[in-house]
Amino acid sequence: MGQDVEAREFTGEDRARYRAKVRRNLDVLAAMLGQQDFSVPDPHVGVEIEFNLIDEAGDPALRNLETLDAIATEDFQTELGRFNVEINVPPSPVAGRGLADMAERMRDDLNAAQSKAQSVDTGLLMIGILPTLDARHLTRETISENPRYHLLSDQILTARGEDIHIVINGVERLRTTIDTIIAEAACTSTQLHLQVEPDDFAPTWNAAQAIAGVQTAVGANSPFLLGKRLWHETRIALFEQATDTRTDELKAQGVRPRVWFGDRWITSVFDLFEENSRYFPALLPIVEDEDPVAEIEAGRIPMLPELRLHNGTIWRWNRPIYDVVDGKPHLRVENRLLPAGPTVPDTVANAALFYGLVTALTEQERPVWSQLPFKAAEEGFHAAAKAGIEAEVFWPGVGTGPVRELVLQHLLPLAHVGLERRGVDSAVIDQYLQIIERRCATGRNGATWLISQFDRTHEKGRDVLDTMRAVTRRYAEHMHEGEPVHTWSVG
């Protein structure tokens, strides 16, 4: 949700001025891509992780402000729900022992934050959807106090003109109606950032889209919502519906959703920003004083605030990011489709798979996306969200088959090559890619562990919520012990 905004109402004039300013930003960005230095001499990667807050019983703890006061570090921030916080792991080089150093930093930060959170009777949990959430936690009162969240919620509901309907058909069926976007707070994720140069952006984004189904299947960690077993990565369906500004009639007309996989391979990062401007009306039409043309003429790099704010209200699963750091412009691919957790090693293993694969795939003589229909990539993504690690997906040269075999036989060797190309130490490559290998060999990821643990714990006649509490507490124990999920016992 990005930058802070204040509570306010918007007029038609606000929207017209904002649209014109976004287009002005877009023109300036187009010129900058050909004229400014976006080079990446020392590639950095970054990670954001959203946490749930739980109490001693395993229920959501609606105390994010008290928890953040106790943690007292700028690395942790609020998120949409009062039962959420987020950590921004500072960007670091990927070469050498960069991934291992990132893991150590994440582990230290999590331990310190957990210790301080306990002083206000909360605990941190890395999981895609908290199993103990129920309807009481998805109300306007559980939205965080920051005005930007309430403003965004109001704007999405105003754009829809009706309440948000959540319908997910999985092992069980969920159907509910919510009058805010608070259901989005149930979708806690890991977001991976990779800085790239303009010429490398399109192939990197295309590669990220091509592997979205594989990532989702291997990393699935969200099988339960509101007491029902749905998809292995229910977050995908929930997030797509929780912020949908379209009525049924607009869907039938083919209007694009704001949580979007996309509809084509791209040739430039400009394609994505231009599509955002062309297809999506503003949700937060806030115009800043910056004149981007004057900034360029003065020899300064413009922040392009309207373009960035608009981009932040379109939730592509692989999102383009424009930013300015130390007076220099840069571009990032933000990979948004993974759930949080289950552990720090699992998170870094997911990151290693992503960074390795996109690097290797962008260097192939015949790109995979030239052989893969875009629709097949999107269908594979949703099939993986439903079936998780047991999903089947299509891959060029291989055909349609189990994700586990595809990863073990074809993609892990590619990821290894990609990480080598980025200068990652061989021991670090082996350490984290072996976690992915063992997940695929055993069929055990977060989602399958949660399902197995629920089945083992749920006794005939026992309340489902009590079972979810027991599963959540056991998950929290494993998470804080820090061993990868494929090693977790059930019982």
Side-chain angles (χ1 to χ4, degrees), residues 148-184:
R148 77 173 185 257
Y149 300 124
H150 290 271
L151 181 59
L152 185 61
S153 179
D154 290 343
Q155 291 300 306
I156 287 177
L157 269 295
T158 298
R160 279 184 64 88
E162 60 185 50
D163 290 346
I164 294 171
H165 307 290
I166 306 295
V167 180
I168 304 175
N169 295 315
V171 175
E172 298 178 86
R173 176 179 170 87
L174 174 67
R175 187 180 186 95
T176 189
T177 300
I178 302 175
D179 63 358
T180 74
I181 64 166
I182 187 60
E184 185 194 333

Side-chain angles (χ1 to χ4, degrees), residues 5-69:
V5 296
E6 296 180 356
R8 56 176 294 180
E9 295 183 358
F10 299 110
T11 65
E13 182 181 357
D14 290 331
R15 296 183 183 281
R17 289 178 60 233
Y18 185 80
R19 180 184 295 111
K21 192 70 179 291
V22 168
R23 290 174 177 169
R24 187 172 176 85
N25 282 185
L26 194 62
D27 290 341
V28 169
L29 176 63
M32 289 177 64
L33 291 172
Q35 299 170 4
Q36 297 293 329
D37 180 15
F38 283 82
S39 61
V40 186
D42 183 20
H44 279 53
V45 298
V47 179
E48 300 173 63
I49 304 172
E50 296 165 351
F51 292 86
N52 283 280
L53 300 177
I54 60 172
D55 60 20
E56 186 175 339
D59 288 331
L62 307 179
R63 296 194 292 275
N64 62 353
L65 293 183
E66 299 94 318
T67 302
L68 289 172
D69 285 343

Side-chain angles (χ1 to χ4, degrees), residues 38-266:
F38 283 82
S39 61
V40 186
D42 183 20
H44 279 53
V45 298
V47 179
E48 300 173 63
I49 304 172
E50 296 165 351
F51 292 86
N52 283 280
L53 300 177
I54 60 172
D55 60 20
E56 186 175 339
D59 288 331
L62 307 179
R63 296 194 292 275
N64 62 353
L65 293 183
E66 299 94 318
T67 302
L68 289 172
D69 285 343
I71 293 173
T73 172
E74 293 183 355
D75 288 346
F76 282 86
Q77 302 174 359
T78 59
E79 251 299 330
L80 174 62
R82 290 175 59 198
F83 48 86
N84 300 143
V85 296
E86 178 182 80
I87 184 174
N88 293 290
V89 180
S92 62
V94 70
R97 290 190 50 79
L99 292 174
D101 292 342
M102 179 191 295
E104 184 175 349
R105 170 69 184 271
M106 289 166 58
R107 182 75 254 175
D108 290 346
D109 287 350
L110 176 56
N111 286 342
Q114 174 70 5
S115 177
K116 294 175 180 178
Q118 288 174 335
S119 69
V120 292
D121 298 323
T122 63
L124 277 66
L125 199 71
M126 287 195 296
I127 195 169
I129 296 176
L130 184 60
T132 51
L133 284 171
D134 66 29
R136 297 170 301 162
H137 306 117
L138 300 181
T139 67
R140 178 172 293 273
E141 289 69 32
T142 58
I143 297 178
S144 288
E145 295 180 17
N146 190 313
R148 77 173 185 257
Y149 300 124
H150 290 271
L151 181 59
L152 185 61
S153 179
D154 290 343
Q155 291 300 306
I156 287 177
L157 269 295
T158 298
R160 279 184 64 88
E162 60 185 50
D163 290 346
I164 294 171
H165 307 290
I166 306 295
V167 180
I168 304 175
N169 295 315
V171 175
E172 298 178 86
R173 176 179 170 87
L174 174 67
R175 187 180 186 95
T176 189
T177 300
I178 302 175
D179 63 358
T180 74
I181 64 166
I182 187 60
E184 185 194 333
C187 306
T188 39
S189 67
T190 297
Q191 296 151 30
L192 306 176
H193 292 254
L194 177 61
Q195 187 180 356
V196 294
E197 298 184 10
D199 288 347
D200 296 329
F201 190 96
T204 302
W205 187 86
N206 288 343
Q209 292 285 96
I211 65 170
V214 171
Q215 279 185 278
T216 303
V218 173
N221 196 27
S222 314
F224 300 117
L225 174 62
L226 300 182
K228 295 182 181 294
R229 179 179 164 188
L230 301 169
W231 296 7
H232 279 235
E233 192 46 45
T234 304
R235 271 181 54 260
I236 301 302
L238 180 59
F239 194 74
E240 288 177 341
Q241 297 180 41
T243 53
D244 199 345
T245 56
R246 304 170 304 162
T247 60
D248 289 344
E249 293 81 4
L250 291 177
K251 293 176 187 177
Q253 293 174 35
V255 173
R256 291 162 175 82
R258 296 191 86 99
V259 178
W260 196 29
F261 189 81
D263 56 17
R264 65 188 176 103
W265 306 115
I266 65 169

Side-chain angles (χ1 to χ4, degrees), residues 222-358:
S222 314
F224 300 117
L225 174 62
L226 300 182
K228 295 182 181 294
R229 179 179 164 188
L230 301 169
W231 296 7
H232 279 235
E233 192 46 45
T234 304
R235 271 181 54 260
I236 301 302
L238 180 59
F239 194 74
E240 288 177 341
Q241 297 180 41
T243 53
D244 199 345
T245 56
R246 304 170 304 162
T247 60
D248 289 344
E249 293 81 4
L250 291 177
K251 293 176 187 177
Q253 293 174 35
V255 173
R256 291 162 175 82
R258 296 191 86 99
V259 178
W260 196 29
F261 189 81
D263 56 17
R264 65 188 176 103
W265 306 115
I266 65 169
T267 58
S268 166
V269 64
F270 186 79
D271 293 350
L272 301 180
F273 286 113
E274 193 275 335
E275 285 179 349
N276 288 353
S277 171
R278 180 154 43 100
Y279 294 145
F280 300 100
L283 287 179
L284 302 174
I286 300 170
V287 176
E288 304 289 351
D289 293 333
E290 178 189 86
D291 181 343
V293 174
E295 291 295 292
I296 289 290
E297 291 176 347
R300 296 185 294 267
I301 302 300
M303 295 298 295
L304 307 183
E306 294 81 13
L307 185 72
R308 294 171 67 208
L309 179 58
H310 188 55
N311 188 58
T313 62
I314 299 154
W315 294 276
R316 294 176 182 268
W317 293 111
N318 284 294
R319 182 157 66 179
I321 301 291
Y322 167 84
D323 205 353
V324 180
V325 179
D326 297 329
K328 182 178 177 180
H330 79 215
L331 299 171
R332 302 194 305 272
V333 174
E334 181 188 28
N335 180 253
R336 303 173 47 81
L337 53 88
L338 286 169
T343 66
V344 168
D346 286 303
T347 300
V348 178
N350 289 337
L353 182 67
F354 173 72
Y355 296 133
L357 279 178
V358 296

